[in-house]
């Protein structure tokens, strides 16, 4: 099933590739290569949350050493963050930030002022 999933992915048949990956994972749920393949298939189909779950599982199962899983997870996370940020920015702001939030935000840069002053 894993090799057939890869062949279908190469033919841009990502839904069929995902189904083959599901079948392979039913046999061996810790099959890291197939988790990566399903992550890519789901990413190409636009299911970023499920794709991120697959890449995360593959990374964890490989002890964070699988480069395909690590890079895929980072790539999908950037896409997810961009999608969520765009959705958030499209909504009107309901209220202004509180005074304590603004004060904390401004105070967080005080240490940078000392660093910049020392450099000049």
């Amino acid at each position: 099933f894993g090799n057939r999933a890869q062949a279908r992915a190469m033919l841009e048949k990502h839904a069929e590739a995902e189904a083959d990956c599901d079948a392979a994972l039913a046999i061996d749920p810790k099959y890291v290569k197939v988790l990566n393949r399903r992550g890519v298939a789901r990413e190409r189909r636009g299911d970023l949350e499920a794709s991120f779950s697959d890449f995360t599982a593959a990374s964890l199962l490989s002890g964070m050493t699988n480069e395909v899983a690590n890079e895929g997870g980072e790539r999908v996370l950037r896409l997810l963050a961009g999608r969520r940020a765009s959705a958030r920015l499209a909504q009107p702001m309901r209220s202004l930030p509180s005074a304590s939030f603004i004060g904390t935000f401004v105070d967080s840069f005080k240490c940078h002022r000392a660093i910049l002053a020392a450099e000049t």
Side-chain angles (χ1 to χ4, degrees), residues 73-116:
E74 289 177 18
R75 181 180 62 249
V76 171
L77 183 59
R78 280 192 302 274
L79 292 171
L80 274 171
R83 181 186 286 178
R84 290 183 181 170
S86 295
R88 176 78 181 213
L89 291 172
Q91 298 175 356
M93 190 172 7
R94 295 185 184 142
S95 63
L96 294 174
S98 69
S100 63
F101 174 83
I102 293 171
T104 303
F105 178 77
V106 171
D107 287 345
S108 70
F109 293 99
K110 285 184 178 177
C111 66
H112 297 289
R113 288 185 203 149
I115 294 170
L116 291 173

